[in-house]
Each structure stands twice: as structure tokens, then as C-alpha cells.
Amino acid sequence: MRAARLIKMVLLLQSRPSMTAAELARELEVSERTITRDAQALSEAGVPVYADRGRVGGYRLIGGYRTRLTGLARSEAEALFLSGVPGALREMGLEDAASAARLKVSAALLPSLKDASRTASQRFHLDAPAWFAEPKTPELLPSIAEAVWDDLRITARYRRQEADVERELEPYGLVLKAGVWYVCARVTGSGSFRVYRIDRFTAVEPGSERFGRDESFDLPGFWAERAAQFARSLLRATIVVRLTEAGARRLKHTVDPLSAQEALAEAGSPDDGGRITLTLPVESYDVAYTQLLSLGPEVEVLEPSGLRRRFAEAAARTAAYYEEQG
């Protein structure tokens, strides 16, 4: 325990010009007296730790000292670049590797590891707009994550409607979207890339054969394209609405942002009252009712007539309630 703390103390001093005893104590979660003893122990071991006295004093390394602690394994180096998402690391089974990497965070990477940030970004992309959702970890996620990192083919069975389907896949990358884990994989032999929801997998068997990764594959770009296609596939109905200026500003926060942006761009000029009329694709009339109701008087539904009546009835009930309450 103390050895790890001493290593971290050296790395902290190596990454900054100087640190006070209070700052070191806070970072290492020990007392300032312990910091004094640790600094003395490092000095006795040959690490040139120098203590500046006075009100603005502190500890620093002298003589351009750099630690020789560069034994960073590839898994640790790649996990280092994902250390901003500890929950995802834990679920993928990489927490230990990330912890080890943090102890060596300021040590210089070996030339063979200079591509660690690129390889990490190509194998994991975090897309989690539901910030406060508690993700549920699929049981098979660690096995799939291991195959992703090692470029190993897997044989997977997953639920599709009422039947189980088996495929041999080349797992390229993982995506965490709003608390749900997905794997982007190429179907072996077909060359086509697909997205699979991991909690629908019923079995995964990692193989011993590595696949040749297509270096032109861009995980964030691929995911963005597929996500946009999926969102558009849900929009099966259209409505016509009239929006105030405030309603137009808030529309992208109420319905699908891309659809709102495109509908606003295609809308005509505002009328004399400053309102604009536009045609908006929606998932269904029921969903549109729930979404647009939050805009209150900033939106007027023109078509279809049935949806317009629902909004009129909701407005009348709300007005009647306030009149009764005074």
C-alpha cells in the first residue's frame, strides 16, 4: 500500500512544478505528517525530492528527474484513455487495468504505445444523453468486451422475434447509448456491419482466431449514421403545426432534434403574428400529443383534425380547472 502511494507521489510531483504538503495529502488521502515521512523516504531511496520552506513552499523534484516507471501494458494504456467513464470500465471488466494505469499516468509512454489513444477511440464510443439513467449491465458484456479488445471472432446467439439466431461475428466496437449496451460487428463472410443489442444475446463463445480489422472503420461515424437511420425509421406520421418564436426555439428539445431542425429549415416565412407553420414528422399521433403538450400555448396543431381536437380539449380542461380554483 505504501509503495503504491510513494509511486503516485513521485508521479504527481513529476507532472507539476511543485505541490504543497496539503495538496499532496489531499490527493493521496493521508495526513501532512505522512507526506513529510514519505518525502524523506523517497529522498533516502535516491529520488531527489526537495522541500521549499516558507508560506508558499512545497515539494518538487529537482534536476529534471523523471521516473523510469514506463512498464505500461497495452491494456493499461488503452484503458487510460477511457478513464473518464469509470462505470463503463467496470462493466466491461477493465477496472483493474484502469486502476493500474492511473498509478503510471505521468510516466512517458513507450513508442510502441503511442497509438493507444487511437485504438481505444476506435473500440469504444460513449453516447449517453440520459445522464441520470442507471445502466443495467448485460451478463455477457465482459466476454464481448474482451473479444473487442483482442480482435477475436465470436459465435453469438441472440433473440430475434420468437427465435434464436446464431451468427459468427467480428466485434469492432462497443457503444453505451442511454444506459443500453450495443456491439457494432461485421458478420463474418458477408462484409456487412450491423448493430446488436447486447442484452438480447443468449450465448457468446469467443473463438481463438483473430480477424483482420478494417482500419478505415470509424466507430463514432458508423454509430451516428445508424442512429440517425433508426430515429428516422420511427417517424411514420406527419402533422402540421403553427409555432410562436418561443415554440420554435424549444421544438428541438421536445421532438427528434434532426427532424425539428429540418422542418424549421423548410418552413415558410412567419405570419403577421410572428408564428411559423411547418410540417413535422412524428412517431405517432399519441407520441406527438405527449411531446407537444409541453409547449403549451406556444404551439397550435392544425392537422390532423383529430389531434387538433385533443389539444383543444386539453386546453379547455386546463382553463376550466384554473377557473374553478380561482
Side-chain angles (χ1 to χ4, degrees), residues 36-269:
T36 301
R37 289 197 297 264
D38 285 352
Q40 183 177 352
L42 287 171
S43 181
E44 292 173 354
V47 178
V49 178
Y50 180 79
D52 289 315
R53 306 298 178 183
R55 184 171 59 85
V56 293
Y59 293 93
R60 60 186 175 88
L61 295 174
I62 62 174
Y65 178 84
R66 302 289 294 179
T67 177
R68 296 179 183 276
L69 187 62
T70 55
L72 205 63
R74 172 161 289 276
S75 63
E76 294 172 349
E78 290 173 336
L80 175 64
F81 294 97
L82 298 176
S83 58
V85 283
L89 284 170
R90 181 175 59 254
E91 293 178 12
M92 288 188 291
L94 297 174
E95 188 175 28
D96 290 342
S99 178
R102 292 189 191 101
L103 293 176
K104 308 171 183 178
V105 66
S106 295
L109 289 177
L110 296 173
S112 61
L113 300 179
K114 292 298 184 182
D115 65 337
S117 61
R118 182 183 63 81
T119 58
S121 66
Q122 288 302 310
R123 287 166 172 79
F124 177 75
H125 171 59
L126 178 65
D127 182 6
W131 299 109
F132 305 107
E134 184 66 28
K136 182 179 180 181
T137 307
E139 182 179 348
L140 297 173
L141 175 60
S143 297
I144 297 174
E146 184 176 354
V148 168
W149 291 109
D150 292 337
D151 294 338
L152 291 175
R153 287 194 176 96
I154 61 173
T155 301
R157 290 200 305 274
Y158 63 95
R159 294 187 300 276
R160 189 172 68 181
Q161 296 178 347
E162 301 299 324
D164 272 11
V165 178
E166 185 172 288
R167 291 284 186 274
E168 186 177 83
L169 303 175
E170 298 170 0
Y172 266 62
L174 298 169
V175 175
L176 176 60
K177 168 70 174 179
V180 180
W181 284 94
Y182 298 86
V183 60
C184 302
R186 181 169 61 184
V187 181
T188 301
S190 73
S192 63
F193 287 91
R194 299 180 184 178
V195 176
Y196 298 89
R197 184 165 165 161
I198 294 179
D199 60 9
R200 292 179 180 167
F201 282 21
T202 57
V204 171
E205 184 179 345
S208 57
E209 184 179 355
R210 295 179 181 273
F211 61 87
R213 177 175 286 269
D214 181 354
E215 295 301 329
S216 66
F217 177 78
D218 174 27
L219 178 59
F222 172 78
W223 175 258
E225 180 182 348
R226 290 304 175 93
Q229 291 175 359
F230 177 74
R232 287 180 178 276
S233 72
L234 297 177
L235 305 178
R236 301 186 178 93
T238 58
I239 63 174
V240 179
V241 298
R242 184 182 291 134
L243 295 164
T244 65
E245 184 178 347
R249 287 197 308 268
R250 292 165 50 189
L251 185 63
K252 65 180 180 180
H253 303 295
T254 306
V255 300
D256 176 64
L258 182 59
S259 299
Q261 179 180 342
E262 292 178 350
L264 289 168
E266 296 172 0
S269 302

